[in-house]
């Protein structure tokens, strides 16, 4: 029953030995790496064909679990084909009867949507902060020029361009001012 649960889990579940070699990997790994679980058993983390930086992060976190006996959690970006995924891996020690870490259990999940939502929330929070600063500047302004300059500064903070300007239309006097 437990094996069926792990085999059908949406997360990548794996077990690694002291040599950082896979002794078990569930079938979902094929969706992410394009390699069957059977082909991964016996291979090391460095044999996965992923970026060297990611391999170094994974090996460091797993090594820390073996060394300290404490869980580690790691977020990293993983390129799968042309897509950039964001993954979260949790590494937990598995102890021998003598109390020594004999293997590490890895549960890795795709958090790409969570990462995108976090980025969108960050962009939204920045816009709100800039709008709030602009609102305060407008309220404190003593002239239209002050408002225009505050608007330019606000636009520079949220729009990714090197130059920005504000046009003020004075309909009563049929004039345009560029800031």
């Amino acid at each position: 029953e437990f094996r069926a649960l792990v085999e059908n889990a949406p997360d990548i579940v794996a077990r690694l030995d002291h040599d950082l070699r896979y002794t078990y990997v569930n079938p979902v790994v094929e969706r992410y790496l394009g390699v069957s679980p059977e082909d991964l058993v016996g291979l090391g983390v460095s044999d996965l064909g992923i970026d060297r930086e990611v391999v170094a992060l994974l090996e460091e976190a797993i090594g820390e679990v073996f060394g300290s006996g404490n869980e580690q959690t790691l977020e990293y970006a993983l390129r799968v084909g042309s897509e950039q995924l964001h993954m979260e891996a949790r590494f937990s020690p598995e102890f021998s009867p003598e109390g020594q870490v004999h293997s590490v259990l890895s549960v890795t999940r795709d958090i790409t949507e969570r990462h995108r939502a976090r980025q969108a929330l960050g962009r939204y929070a920045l816009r709100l902060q800039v709008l709030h600063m602009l609102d305060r500047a407008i309220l404190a302004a003593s002239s239209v020029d002050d408002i225009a300059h505050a608007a330019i500064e606000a636009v520079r903070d949220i729009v990714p361009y090197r130059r920005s300007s504000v046009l003020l239309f004075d309909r009563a006097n049929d004039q345009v001012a560029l800031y």
Side-chain angles (χ1 to χ4, degrees):
E1 183 177 315
F2 177 75
R3 186 164 188 89
L5 178 68
V6 172
E7 294 284 321
N8 294 297
D11 299 336
I12 300 170
V13 178
R15 177 176 282 140
L16 297 108
D17 64 17
H18 274 280
D19 295 324
L20 306 186
R21 298 198 175 281
Y22 290 97
T23 60
Y24 171 81
V25 186
N26 71 341
V28 77
V29 72
E30 196 161 358
R31 181 184 326 151
Y32 294 98
L33 298 180
V35 180
S36 75
E38 296 80 18
D39 291 340
L40 286 179
V41 170
L43 295 181
V45 174
S46 61
D47 300 321
L48 296 178
I50 58 177
D51 293 336
R52 301 297 306 155
E53 297 87 18
V54 173
V55 168
L57 290 171
L58 293 170
E59 288 179 338
E60 181 181 349
I62 297 164
E64 178 65 26
V65 175
F66 275 113
S68 71
N70 296 320
E71 287 188 354
Q72 296 288 312
T73 301
L74 175 67
E75 287 189 24
Y76 59 94
L78 177 66
R79 175 135 330 263
V80 176
S82 62
E83 191 174 6
Q84 177 95 350
L85 301 177
H86 292 271
M87 309 298 282
E88 178 184 73
R90 185 171 183 164
F91 303 106
S92 302
E94 294 184 305
F95 296 97
S96 68
E98 296 79 31
Q100 302 296 314
V101 179
H102 71 84
S103 60
V104 170
L105 180 65
S106 168
V107 179
T108 304
R109 69 178 31 164
D110 184 348
I111 60 164
T112 303
E113 290 306 314
R114 181 191 322 164
H115 180 80
R116 288 178 185 152
R118 203 177 336 172
Q119 285 184 317
L121 185 59
R123 287 189 302 271
Y124 180 71
L126 175 63
R127 286 185 192 121
L128 283 178
Q129 180 183 11
V130 169
L131 288 172
H132 179 67
M133 290 184 325
L134 179 57
D135 184 49
R136 286 193 325 226
I138 289 170
L139 292 173
S142 58
S143 69
V144 172
D145 287 341
D146 290 346
I147 293 171
H149 287 289
I152 288 172
E153 291 303 314
V155 166
R156 285 184 185 149
D157 286 343
I158 59 174
V159 178
Y161 295 103
R162 292 182 353 162
R163 295 179 172 252
S164 58
S165 60
V166 172
L167 289 174
L168 294 179
F169 296 97
D170 182 352
R171 291 184 187 191
N173 296 318
D174 202 25
Q175 293 180 344
V176 175
L178 174 66
Y179 291 90

